[in-house]
């Protein structure tokens, strides 16, 4: 468990709602939930969630910190925005879910084997390298995300599609060699570094 | 009074002239209806048409006006004539041409329908006399308000503002009632975010400064008698001194008691001083007056409060209240704010199963509570018990579906409101006449035949026609307002009291003119009875929904005209038919149904009598006509004041004179009644359930008489019920009683 996590446990001792309000994007809204359940009923992935949004909000108010932050629930959100459109209290539920996921990850509490979390990291790492997504590399890293054996199996299954894409020039094998990037990758890295500094200062991360 | 002279006027407007042989109708009115004057007119409700009739009243001695035109519910302003006359309306438009197809085949039966209605109108006119106002007129316009709480004070201030003198009688030693103990109240104005001042002190000052309002503290009512405009009340002080005063109307605002939390030991009621009900918390908050509220047991600082909603209410358990008191969710939010506003770090959890904050501002107030950081948890509390200097609260969280054990320094139980509605007159035995005694549990101690207090409806609240006419009770001139009527908060009680004050003023003014109060407001007719014929059976005194009829020592009915609402329930009840109104009697209806031309058994023209309540069923039939719906041409509809006024003799007479079927249409009865006269429809249904004997004696099928509850919105259903009867008659055949 990270230092940052310990720090936050110490700081908000026993009041998870306040912690969420301070550290999670749109966390201020959590207290306004009136437990009608429209969000849970509207979520296309609702039945697959460990805790639907309504329960997440109740868990936060009931001080169940570990249960919320360790949950895979927020990672199930596909950003369809059904819940936001329908929430009678106007809670930005989608944003709160992403905010909670981000916060859990930052604390080092996000579930380790969660597919969405894993892919999100792969996507981010791929993107920031050159400033452009390298689809060939991203695709392959997705195939091999869960080990070599599964990677080879998936690659073979997809080979006809891959060859077809090569033939119609939708994919270039040359992308394997570094690939193309944005005009000023260095500048982008500087921007992202600064953004990270600002954000961490805001929520009080010291040497995470 | 001058001899009766019928003037029958047939309108040719609105298509009546094209569809009907109006000349023929004039002949029928003259020959069969014995009308002294009978005329047709192209446009009867025009200035010229009205002038023609008024001219006949003034110069020709016409005093029984029969208008054969549109429904009695249309053009009432046009057909309001000067002079001592009666008015009969023959419904040729909504009742005949609009419900019949304009075809050659239908022409004959439509014509017969119109002719019958003209005969009926003339028959009714013949047996009516112009109503004079009641002889019994009260001229007192002094209002008595029983109860000096929020509702009572509001009613007094409102009535005084309108110029009427008021006396408030309050049982305790001070004005203010329950709300006097409140620290603050739920806000009544935008942005509905903060608890606000109750305003009680200002109201008391207003009352003290108002010369029109006198206040009698430490006093109760030990006797109420009389009628609107002439009530008399004995006001007795604690020391026993009694004064008798006269009043024009009475408002009963006796309020509520909190449900006794000692009956809820499982929720900690009575087990610890740190478990309080909402009233108890108000007292603590008022004592703290904005400072920190301390624990009652040891005066320690409070860090966590748990509010338990629906404590002993909305529960079917024995001894619990089954209803929702309506205000408690908002009240708990308000009380949690007392803590949060003083110190935001105090934890305030509201445990609810269904949070309800009625009224438009309720949602804003709820939201404000959430913004202040009040925690709302959906859960059912199973146990509250003292443990180690604090309270342990066990509950099941219904969202997370788990059993939770929590601790709190203070627990507030949201118990419900129990009405101070006096004695339940249906449960308490009546005093014999001449042996009337004061009942200490009674609020009004009325000397009425039907009991000392206003009747209850459900759950011990006073019956106040909660659906259509709030404040109206079943005792004319006596109005209820506030939580004695139904559970409510301060804002609702204020609105309620204002409404009741206006109704009371209306009743006093009507009484001075000798006119009926709601719903036949302004009616001048009143019931009279032929004492020689009376058998002292007491049905009228027992069944009058408004307790208007008392009994003398010999058990003869004593009518109190000003208390009467003119529904005619007594007339329907009377087995010897000695009760009648000037313009509405056993004869006016009985002669109408006998005036119908009865075709013989082999004509294939049955006759269906419909007795329809003029308040709901008759308008429903009118509206069906307006919407182009049709029903059988063999139908003859007679409007009645209330189904309760239907005397079974009408049904017997109808069957004896050859009607093939009879339908009675009244309002919804039971606890959710819509009957304008509360009990009329119910009584009619009860009486009609016994009509089977009559049918058996006549050797007729039971299906020939049907009684229905018809709402004003049953626009499709009402004509369908008639069609159903027509189909039934086709199946079972014509009545053999045609002569």
């Amino acid at each position: 468990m990270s230092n940052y996590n310990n720090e936050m446990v110490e700081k908000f001792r026993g009041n998870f709602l306040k912690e969420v309000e301070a550290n999670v994007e749109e966390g201020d809204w959590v207290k306004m939930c009136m437990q009608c359940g429209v969000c849970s009923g509207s979520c296309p992935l609702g039945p697959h969630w460990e805790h639907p949004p309504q329960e997440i909000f109740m868990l936060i108010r009931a001080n169940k910190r570990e249960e919320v932050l360790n949950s895979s629930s927020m990672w199930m959100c596909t950003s369809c925005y059904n819940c936001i459109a329908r929430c009678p209290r106007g809670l930005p539920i989608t944003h709160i879910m992403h905010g909670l996921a981000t916060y859990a990850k930052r604390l080092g509490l996000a579930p380790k084997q969660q597919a969405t979390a894993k892919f999100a990291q792969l996507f981010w790492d791929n993107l920031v390298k050159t400033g452009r997504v390298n689809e060939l590399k991203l695709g392959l890293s997705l195939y091999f995300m869960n080990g070599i054996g599964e990677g080879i199996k998936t690659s073979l299954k997809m080979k006809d599609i891959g060859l077809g894409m090569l033939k119609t020039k939708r994919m270039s094998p040359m992308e394997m060699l570094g690939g193309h990037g944005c005009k000023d990758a260095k500048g982008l890295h500087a921007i992202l570094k600064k953004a990270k500094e600002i954000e961490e200062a805001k929520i009080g991360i010291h040497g995470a | 009074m001058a001899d009766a002279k019928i003037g029958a006027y047939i309108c040719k407007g609105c298509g009546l002239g094209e569809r009907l042989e109006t000349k023929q109708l004039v002949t029928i009115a003259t020959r069969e209806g014995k009308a002294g004057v009978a005329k047709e007119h192209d446009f009867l409700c025009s200035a010229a048409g009205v002038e023609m009739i008024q001219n006949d009243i003034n110069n020709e001695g016409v005093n029984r006006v029969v208008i054969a035109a549109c429904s009695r519910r249309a053009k009432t302003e046009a057909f309001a004539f000067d002079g001592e006359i009666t008015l009969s309306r023959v419904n040729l438009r909504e009742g005949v041409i609009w419900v019949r197809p304009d075809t050659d085949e239908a022409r004959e039966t439509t014509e017969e329908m119109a002719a019958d209605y003209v005969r009926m109108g003339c028959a009714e006119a013949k047996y009516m006399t112009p109503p004079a106002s009641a002889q019994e007129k009260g001229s007192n316009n002094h209002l008595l308000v029983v109860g000096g709480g929020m509702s009572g004070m509001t009613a007094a201030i409102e009535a005084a503002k309108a110029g009427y003198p008021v006396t408030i009688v309050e049982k305790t030693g001070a004005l203010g009632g329950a709300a006097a103990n409140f620290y603050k109240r739920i806000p009544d104005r935008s942005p509905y975010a903060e608890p606000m001042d109750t305003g009680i002190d200002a109201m008391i000052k207003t009352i003290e400064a108002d010369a029109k309002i006198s206040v009698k503290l430490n006093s109760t009512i030990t006797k109420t008698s009389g009628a609107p405009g002439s009530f008399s009340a004995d006001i007795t002080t604690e020391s026993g001194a009694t004064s008798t005063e006269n009043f024009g109307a009475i408002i009963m605002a006796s309020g509520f008691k909190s449900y006794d939390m000692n009956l809820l030991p499982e929720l900690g009621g009575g087990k610890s001083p740190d478990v309080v009900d909402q009233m108890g918390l108000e007292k603590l908050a008022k004592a703290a007056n904005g400072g920190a509220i301390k624990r009652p047991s040891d005066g320690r600082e409070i860090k966590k409060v748990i509010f338990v909603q629906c404590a002993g209410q909305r529960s079917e358990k024995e001894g619990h209240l089954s209803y929702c008191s309506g205000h408690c969710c908002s009240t708990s939010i308000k009380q949690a704010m007392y803590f949060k506003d003083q110190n935001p770090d105090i934890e305030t959890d509201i445990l609810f199963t269904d949070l309800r904050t009625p009224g438009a501002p309720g949602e804003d107030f709820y939201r404000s509570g959430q913004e202040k950081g009040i925690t709302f948890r959906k859960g059912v509390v199973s146990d509250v018990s003292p443990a180690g200097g604090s309270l342990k609260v066990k509950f099941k969280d219904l969202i997370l579906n788990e059993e939770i054990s929590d601790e709190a320094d203070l627990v507030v139980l949201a118990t419900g409101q129990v009405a101070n509605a006096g004695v339940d007159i249906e449960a308490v035995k009546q005093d014999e006449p001449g042996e009337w005694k004061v009942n200490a549990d009674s609020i009004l101690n009325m000397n009425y035949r039907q009991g000392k207090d206003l009747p209850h409806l459900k759950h011990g609240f006073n019956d106040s026609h909660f659906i259509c006419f709030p404040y109206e009770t079943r005792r004319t001139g006596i109005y209820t307002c506030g939580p004695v009527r139904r559970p409510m908060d301060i804002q609702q009680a204020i609105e309620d009291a204002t409404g009741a004050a206006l109704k009371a003023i209306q009743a006093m003014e009507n009484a001075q003119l000798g006119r009926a109060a709601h719903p036949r407001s302004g009616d001048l007719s009143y019931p009279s009875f032929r004492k020689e014929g009376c058998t002292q059976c007491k049905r009228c005194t027992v069944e009058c929904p408004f307790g208007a009829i008392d009994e003398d020592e010999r058990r003869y009915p004593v009518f109190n005209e000003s208390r009467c609402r003119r529904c005619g329930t007594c007339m329907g009840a009377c087995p010897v038919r000695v009760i009648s109104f000037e313009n509405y009697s056993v004869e006016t209806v009985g002669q109408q149904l006998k005036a119908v031309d009865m075709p013989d058994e082999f004509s294939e023209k049955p006759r269906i009598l419909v007795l329809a309540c003029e308040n709901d069923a008759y308008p429903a039939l009118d509206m069906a006509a307006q919407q182009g719906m049709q029903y059988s041409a063999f139908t003859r509809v007679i409007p009645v004041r209330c189904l309760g006024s239907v005397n079974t003799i009408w049904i017997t007479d109808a069957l004896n004179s050859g009607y093939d079927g009879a339908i009675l249409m009244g309002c919804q009865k039971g606890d959710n009644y819509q009957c304008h006269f509360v009990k009329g429809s119910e009584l009619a249904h009860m009486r009609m359930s016994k009509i089977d004997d009559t049918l058996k004696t006549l050797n007729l099928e039971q299906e020939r008489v049907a009684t229905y509850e018809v709402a004003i919105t049953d626009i499709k259903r009402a004509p369908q019920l008639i069609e159903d009867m027509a189909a039934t008659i086709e199946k079972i055949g014509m009545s053999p009683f045609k002569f």
Side-chain angles (χ1 to χ4, degrees):
Chain A
M1 221 158 275
S2 64
N3 285 338
Y4 178 51
N5 185 38
N6 293 335
E7 257 178 61
M8 289 303 118
V9 171
E10 193 63 31
K11 183 172 171 191
F12 293 100
R13 195 178 286 281
N15 198 331
F16 185 42
L17 177 64
K18 286 225 167 101
E19 181 178 347
V20 168
E21 286 178 347
N23 293 348
V24 173
E25 186 187 352
E26 305 280 16
D28 258 355
W29 280 96
V30 171
K31 61 175 181 289
M32 298 309 289
C33 167
M34 63 175 192
Q35 296 295 332
C36 65
V38 165
C39 49
S40 309
S42 305
C43 182
L45 285 168
H48 305 289
W49 288 50
E50 189 184 359
H51 300 293
Q54 176 197 13
E55 270 181 45
I56 292 279
F57 297 143
M58 197 63 241
L59 286 165
I60 293 171
R61 301 199 303 212
N63 252 333
K64 309 233 172 194
R65 187 174 191 271
E66 305 298 305
E67 230 173 307
V68 173
L69 296 172
N70 288 329
S71 168
S72 64
S73 297
M74 305 79 84
W75 299 94
M76 300 294 287
C77 175
T78 59
S79 309
C80 74
Y81 283 81
N82 248 357
C83 50
I84 289 196
R86 292 184 183 170
C87 176
R89 274 292 168 86
L91 268 72
I93 301 171
T94 309
H95 303 165
I96 302 171
M97 290 302 127
H98 292 319
L100 281 169
T102 308
Y103 186 57
K105 182 159 173 60
R106 194 165 272 153
L107 294 168
L109 296 176
K112 295 286 174 283
Q113 291 306 315
Q114 215 285 335
T116 326
K118 267 166 130 181
F119 179 68
Q121 187 66 52
L122 289 173
F123 183 92
W124 178 254
D125 293 344
N126 183 304
L127 171 71
V128 295
K129 204 166 269 171
T130 63
R132 290 224 192 272
V133 174
N134 186 318
E135 288 179 350
L136 186 58
K137 282 186 186 172
L138 181 63
L140 283 173
S141 51
L142 177 62
Y143 295 173
F144 288 88
M145 187 171 78
N146 294 324
I148 304 241
E150 202 187 307
I152 292 171
K153 237 200 230 156
T154 318
S155 305
L156 286 173
K157 200 170 78 189
M158 302 296 287
K159 83 173 188 304
D160 286 350
I161 293 172
L163 288 171
M165 286 174 78
L166 274 176
K167 222 187 261 171
T168 51
K169 300 207 166 104
R170 303 300 299 168
M171 192 173 76
S172 161
M174 302 311 283
E175 287 285 304
M176 278 308 276
L177 314 166
H180 67 293
C182 67
K183 273 184 201 150
D184 182 12
K186 273 214 178 87
L188 176 71
H189 291 155
I191 291 170
L192 290 174
K193 189 164 170 255
K194 186 71 189 167
K196 196 176 173 210
E197 275 171 24
I198 294 169
E199 203 172 328
E200 288 181 346
K202 201 167 101 187
I203 59 171
I205 295 187
H206 314 288
Chain B
M1 190 184 288
D3 286 345
K5 183 171 181 182
I6 298 174
Y9 302 92
I10 322 274
C11 183
K12 287 162 74 178
C14 294
L16 289 165
E18 291 93 72
R19 295 280 305 274
L20 301 169
E21 297 283 342
T22 45
K23 253 199 193 73
Q24 188 64 29
L25 296 177
V26 170
T27 314
I28 288 172
T30 318
R31 295 228 183 108
E32 300 179 43
K34 308 287 179 224
V37 177
K39 293 175 180 170
E40 50 183 347
H41 193 276
D42 285 336
F43 186 4
L44 208 52
C45 58
S46 66
V50 172
E51 200 191 316
M52 173 184 84
I53 301 170
Q54 187 66 57
N55 191 43
D56 284 354
I57 294 170
N58 297 347
N59 305 319
E60 302 292 324
V62 168
N63 50 19
R64 305 285 185 274
V65 180
V66 178
I67 308 262
C70 41
S71 165
R72 51 161 47 196
R73 304 180 64 249
K75 301 287 169 199
T76 47
E77 286 100 0
F79 297 132
F81 302 105
D82 298 326
E84 276 211 355
I85 58 135
T86 68
L87 184 63
S88 302
R89 297 286 298 268
V90 174
N91 190 356
L92 296 182
R93 193 178 69 175
E94 287 89 339
V96 181
I97 63 164
W98 284 1
V99 292
R100 298 304 306 149
D102 188 7
T103 59
D104 286 340
E105 308 90 79
R107 206 167 169 83
E108 183 192 326
T109 50
T110 308
E111 199 69 52
E112 286 172 3
M113 209 176 181
D116 268 352
Y117 277 126
V118 170
R119 289 184 191 106
M120 290 157 75
C122 293
E124 182 190 27
K126 200 159 34 174
Y127 288 90
M128 292 207 292
T129 48
S133 64
Q135 280 101 42
E136 178 195 275
K137 283 182 200 173
S139 56
N140 196 312
N141 67 354
H142 195 129
L143 179 66
L144 170 64
V145 175
V146 183
M150 201 49 147
S151 316
M153 290 199 299
T154 306
I157 291 171
E158 293 295 335
K161 265 199 247 172
Y164 294 83
V166 185
T167 296
I168 302 178
V169 172
E170 165 60 39
K171 195 173 181 177
T172 69
L175 290 174
N181 295 319
F182 287 13
Y183 172 47
K184 283 182 177 179
R185 58 174 278 209
I186 299 158
D188 71 343
R189 61 200 66 164
S190 179
Y192 306 106
E194 309 294 336
M196 59 179 248
D197 186 65
T198 58
I200 289 277
D201 294 339
M203 286 173 92
I204 294 175
K205 277 204 188 87
T206 307
I207 287 172
E208 282 168 353
D210 195 327
K212 280 206 163 61
I213 308 176
S214 57
V215 180
K216 294 189 182 289
L217 299 173
N218 297 313
S219 301
T220 52
I221 307 289
T222 44
K223 186 170 190 176
T224 306
S225 57
S230 59
F231 282 113
S232 159
D234 288 1
I235 301 166
T236 305
T237 61
E238 224 169 14
S239 56
T242 299
S243 63
T244 303
E245 290 183 34
N246 295 319
F247 299 99
I250 299 172
I251 288 180
M252 179 165 138
S254 44
F256 71 100
K257 285 184 288 287
S258 278
Y259 178 80
D260 183 5
M261 69 166 179
N262 291 319
L263 300 172
L264 302 167
E266 68 279 14
L267 298 181
K271 281 194 186 165
S272 160
D274 296 333
V275 179
V276 296
D277 60 8
Q278 289 185 328
M279 300 297 276
L281 188 81
E282 289 295 343
K283 279 182 197 155
L284 293 178
K286 196 165 172 105
N289 196 22
I293 297 172
K294 302 284 188 207
R295 286 220 314 192
S297 60
D298 51 13
R300 235 176 53 197
E301 188 189 349
I302 291 170
K303 291 203 179 92
K304 175 155 183 163
V305 193
I306 290 182
F307 293 84
V308 180
Q309 296 309 108
C310 303
Q313 51 178 335
R314 296 182 66 228
S315 152
E316 292 307 323
K317 262 190 226 160
E318 180 88 32
H320 287 195
L321 307 178
S322 60
Y323 53 88
C324 166
S325 290
H327 73 93
C328 343
C329 288
S330 299
T331 299
S332 285
I333 294 172
K334 173 190 77 173
Q335 296 185 338
M337 285 181 184
Y338 293 167
F339 293 95
K340 283 286 181 191
D341 288 345
Q342 194 269 324
N343 175 6
D345 286 336
I346 297 174
E347 277 187 70
T348 52
D349 286 12
I350 295 183
L351 303 181
F352 66 93
T353 51
D354 304 278
L355 202 78
R356 293 289 181 273
T357 53
E363 202 61 20
D364 288 341
F365 195 52
Y366 175 17
R367 211 176 270 127
S368 170
Q370 288 180 303
E371 269 158 11
K372 285 175 192 267
I374 300 165
T375 303
F376 293 87
R377 290 189 83 162
K378 192 174 170 81
V380 180
V381 181
S382 54
D383 187 65
V384 178
S385 46
S390 73
L391 295 160
K392 188 169 265 174
V393 180
K394 284 189 193 149
F395 66 97
K396 180 170 189 180
D397 188 304
L398 295 177
I399 301 291
L400 306 179
N401 196 25
E402 62 181 305
E403 296 293 342
I404 303 209
S405 186
D406 207 347
E407 274 187 30
D409 300 308
L410 188 73
V411 168
V412 184
L413 303 180
T415 55
Q417 290 182 334
V418 180
N420 279 336
V423 297
D424 183 355
I425 57 170
E426 273 162 46
V428 173
K429 215 178 151 280
Q430 297 273 324
D431 294 340
E432 293 297 314
E435 290 170 23
W436 191 92
K437 278 195 294 293
V438 175
N439 184 333
D441 295 329
S442 170
I443 306 274
L444 294 176
N445 273 305
M446 294 187 283
N447 74 343
Y448 287 28
R449 157 72 175 85
Q450 290 188 12
K452 292 193 174 68
D453 273 309
L454 302 177
H456 297 180
L457 181 63
K458 274 201 276 204
H459 313 310
F461 289 91
N462 283 132
D463 190 354
S464 59
H465 212 304
F466 64 102
I467 293 176
C468 308
F469 317 109
Y471 333 121
E472 287 294 346
T473 70
R474 284 174 48 194
R475 297 294 177 261
T476 311
I478 305 179
Y479 297 85
T480 52
C481 63
V484 73
R485 219 166 62 69
R486 62 170 179 77
M488 59 177 75
D489 68 8
I490 288 182
Q491 184 53 27
Q492 290 170 323
I494 289 172
E495 284 166 17
D496 222 45
T498 310
L502 287 171
K503 292 302 289 185
I505 289 169
Q506 196 183 37
M508 293 191 287
E509 292 294 337
N510 268 329
Q512 292 188 27
L513 298 169
R515 311 193 310 181
H518 168 94
R520 292 186 61 82
S521 194
D523 190 350
L524 293 174
S525 71
Y526 56 88
S528 57
F529 90 112
R530 228 171 10 94
K531 200 168 179 181
E532 318 83 84
C534 176
T535 58
Q536 298 130 295
C537 76
K538 297 193 287 182
R539 268 184 226 178
C540 55
T541 59
V542 171
E543 290 193 359
C544 173
F546 304 103
I549 315 172
D550 290 329
E551 281 161 26
D552 66 14
E553 303 77 42
R554 294 171 56 212
R555 302 285 193 193
Y556 279 113
V558 178
F559 283 81
N560 293 277
E561 283 149 17
S562 299
R563 285 192 217 155
C564 174
R565 309 274 187 104
R566 281 73 165 168
C567 60
T569 298
C570 49
M571 185 173 113
C574 184
V576 286
R577 300 178 292 283
V578 295
I579 304 172
S580 61
F581 297 79
E582 295 107 317
N583 54 3
Y584 185 62
S585 64
V586 172
E587 287 293 305
T588 61
V589 176
Q591 292 298 331
Q592 277 187 75
L593 62 91
K594 284 177 195 159
V596 167
D597 188 42
M598 191 61 65
D600 67 36
E601 199 180 338
F602 312 103
S603 65
E604 291 182 5
K605 284 177 182 168
R607 288 289 176 259
I608 302 168
L609 174 68
V610 178
L611 295 171
C613 162
E614 66 177 10
N615 296 300
D616 279 17
Y618 199 74
L621 285 171
D622 272 0
M623 284 188 275
Q626 283 158 9
Q627 295 187 10
M629 272 170 242
Q630 298 181 350
Y631 54 79
S632 165
F634 307 126
T635 316
R636 303 293 178 260
V637 184
I638 302 177
V640 293
R641 287 187 179 184
C642 173
L643 213 56
S645 70
V646 171
N647 196 300
T648 45
I649 191 72
W650 294 341
I651 308 297
T652 316
D653 277 358
L655 295 170
N656 269 322
S657 55
Y659 280 87
D660 302 279
I663 307 174
L664 282 78
M665 295 183 181
C667 302
Q668 190 171 311
K669 58 187 171 59
D671 277 354
N672 294 326
Y673 64 86
Q674 291 175 4
C675 178
H676 288 50
F677 299 103
V678 188
K679 288 278 165 202
S681 179
E682 193 170 309
L683 289 165
H685 276 78
M686 216 158 63
R687 290 176 203 149
M688 287 310 142
S689 66
K690 292 166 190 154
I691 202 83
D692 285 358
D693 294 341
T694 313
L695 289 159
K696 247 178 240 160
T697 329
L698 294 170
N699 215 0
L700 284 172
E701 296 80 356
Q702 284 182 17
E703 297 94 303
R704 291 198 193 270
V705 180
T707 312
Y708 296 107
E709 292 171 56
V710 175
I712 196 161
T713 47
D714 283 343
I715 295 164
K716 286 201 178 102
R717 184 169 159 256
Q720 188 55 48
L721 293 173
I722 296 175
E723 287 297 281
D724 290 352
M725 179 57 86
T728 305
I729 291 167
E730 206 155 312
K731 211 169 66 199
I732 60 177
M734 305 276 277
S735 159
F737 286 90
K738 314 256 181 188
F739 302 108

